[in-house]
Amino acid sequence: MRTMTLRTSTLLLVAVLAAPVLAQSTLDWPLGGYAEHRLDSGNLTNTGNDAAVMYKATIAVEDAVWLRLYFGKVDLETGSYLRMTSAYDGEVQELDAYDLAMWNNTSAYFNGDTVYLVLVAAPATTNNKVILEQVGVYQVEGGLRGPCADDDCGICGADDRVPSDEEWTGRLMPVGCTASVYNQDSCLVSAGHCADGGWDDTIQFNVPNSASNCYPYNPPVADQFPITAHLFTNDGVGNDWSVMTAGTNNYGQTPYERYGVYRPLATSPAGSGQSATVWGYGVDNGQPVRSQTQQTQTGTINNRYSTHYVFTVDITYGNSGSALMHNDEIIGVVTHCTIGCPNYATRIDLSAFEDAREQLCGGGGSYCAASSNSTSYEYISNVHVGSINNSSGSSGYANYTGQSTDMEIGTGYPITVTLDTEWDSDIGGLWVDWNQDGDFYDSGETITTSWSGLGPYSRTITPPTGAVEGSTRMRVRIQDGDYDPSLSPCGNTSYGEVEDYTINVSGGCDEPEFIVQPEPSQEVCVGDDVYLYVEVDTLLPGYQWRRGTTELVDGGHIAGATAQTLMIIDITPAEEAGNYNCVVTNLVDGCTATSNNAEILVDEDVPVILLQPQDVTVTEGDAAVFFVGVENPVLNSFQWRRNGVELSDGGRFSGTTMYTLSINPVELGDAGQFDCVVTGLLGGMCSTTSNEATLTVDPAQDCPGDLNGDGVIDLSDLSQLLANYGMSSGASYEDGDIDGDGDVDLADLSALLAVYGTTCP
């Protein structure tokens, strides 16, 4: 019986001989460890018509600086997903079945000691389940540690590194290394020992400062990306290198798509005596807050050998994999240090390194590498689909692309995959590159990842509308789910086999072409109405707006889900996302095209008005005051308006940009509608407009008590007042409100009787 071996990670130290004899060390700096934390939701069913939270759990580890979740078996039907939220800073990551596979059944890194986990089940789904096996955790008991490293290996005298903020170089976690993006496909280079250890690595950009006792913090989830595949060699100085591919963040962006930068590989080597610069994430004993954050320093290349460079630039633990740069091009990857210098980097033009980059990330549609580390157990013994009926032995990876079968778009073709030396714990997957872009990560290219057990496995392959005509790649994979529970078309597994074949696709169609793409990014305020619009060249188009791959439907805040213009009405933070897109269908032939993603950022810093301005009635010549009450007035600005026109201080007006507006003295022409626009000074400067308040101005009275205006204060005026006596609000002068307080009472009667029988001047 095969047994499972659990391995623990240790810091790799490599000693080699040089003249003079120096101890050279690799520069990886692994962070954290693992803690068992098992949770099992059981099978979850949502019989409702709306998506619903079906499971909640709190994962907390005392004294943890950060946490990462490692899942076991997870079942998520289409539209279902996991949501993880950091209690420390509110960072959120959502993963559906596809995303979870890309992240190798792990989460991003979350700062703090507590993460909230929920499973949101799509409507009318019956097979949802999540199992958490363990957590990656970095604990600091009592909050103290230091120095950051035991020595300053790689520092050449004084440490002259300075902070930097380049977005083409990132921190590899948890191995504690550096990697650099070198093309628009977000391929990366690093050191081989950074990939040799079975790490479920994540690359992080825009890394924040560490704590004063050296422990590191993590950037937002949007700045974290899974490593999806790698090829490497870890064989000491001059033969220590790796090439990697990165997946997408929670907005569906690759590193290059998010940041738009990379550093090219040099086409010629640098020479001895020339300058060299390193950017990387080394520890820092002198300034712990910079430990394992991005820093840079420039020095000199001492010697150039056939496989490596020897250089004098300040580096240390955590700099493994950093790009050695000359003329802003990558000439090598940093691998080893010595106490007091010099340091070492593998040359980028090493032939084996070049071959690996071509295999994993080469141009022209080169596919990612995939294989298994052992060929002694389960393997694919037969693949039968169409005219392909191939029986074979075990080989880890087998390229059978010389064997092909024809398929027409819209027609289903059954496939059967037979195993040998199979295990109950085996799982399998099938992928086809329908758009012929050299990968299996586009929508619809995962045919299945649900095969399990002893087999044989079967499925129906149907080339979708929009598939590119011509020859393309089909990949079949099996592996042991106990050792590798996450299925991916790329990378190595402990056991199993991968086989590639060719499919000849025919029956193309007329895909819609976009004339106008949705606005790529909008920053809006809570409560705003947001519009996304597309335009295509198709005569009879049909529209379906989506968030990621989830189709939107009209209702709630959504309108126009199947129209040319999508409206998000009275938007809330729940509608914030970076992956709104529109699938447009040519209704003549059924061909589809998907727009670019549109990002909507929702600013929650919207002022809250607690007290609205009130109507004011004054007599000409008196003063009028309006007031608006808000939360935290010092965090807001104010602009009063009359009939929609902004007011400014001067003359009779004051406080036009404060929460209290004064008009003194009031003139008859000041009557109108007054409101105040309150704008938050934080975030995206969102505004709230108060209700309108009415200013009523009564003419000044030259003869108080002459209510009917006949020049004599007599019985008719007294009768007019008595007819309205007791009126408690809204009274006018003509009603008998002589003192202008809005009512007709004893004070008004007394004022009239005091001048009764007199004639106005």
Side-chain angles (χ1 to χ4, degrees), residues 488-532:
S488 169
C490 303
N492 283 19
T493 58
S494 300
Y495 301 92
E497 187 179 23
V498 178
E499 293 184 356
D500 283 352
Y501 295 87
T502 297
I503 292 177
N504 302 315
V505 180
S506 61
C509 58
D510 183 17
E511 292 186 10
E513 292 188 10
F514 285 89
I515 300 172
V516 177
Q517 293 278 2
E519 186 174 345
S521 182
Q522 299 184 57
E523 186 169 356
V524 300
C525 302
V526 168
D528 285 352
D529 293 339
V530 181
Y531 300 88
L532 294 174

Side-chain angles (χ1 to χ4, degrees), residues 58-61 64 66-67 85-89 110-116:
T58 299
I59 297 93
V61 179
W66 50 252
L67 298 174
T85 305
S86 165
Y88 177 81
D89 55 18
F110 293 97
N111 292 315
D113 61 5
T114 302
V115 173
Y116 304 121

Side-chain angles (χ1 to χ4, degrees), residues 182-189 228-231 243-246 265 353-369 438:
Y182 71 84
N183 64 15
Q184 295 184 12
D185 295 325
S186 296
C187 294
L188 307 110
V189 288
T228 54
H230 57 248
L231 294 174
V243 56
M244 306 175 178
T245 56
L265 305 176
F353 199 0
E354 290 179 326
D355 291 344
R357 294 196 301 271
E358 178 62 28
Q359 181 180 354
L360 193 62
C361 291
S366 179
Y367 288 88
C368 62

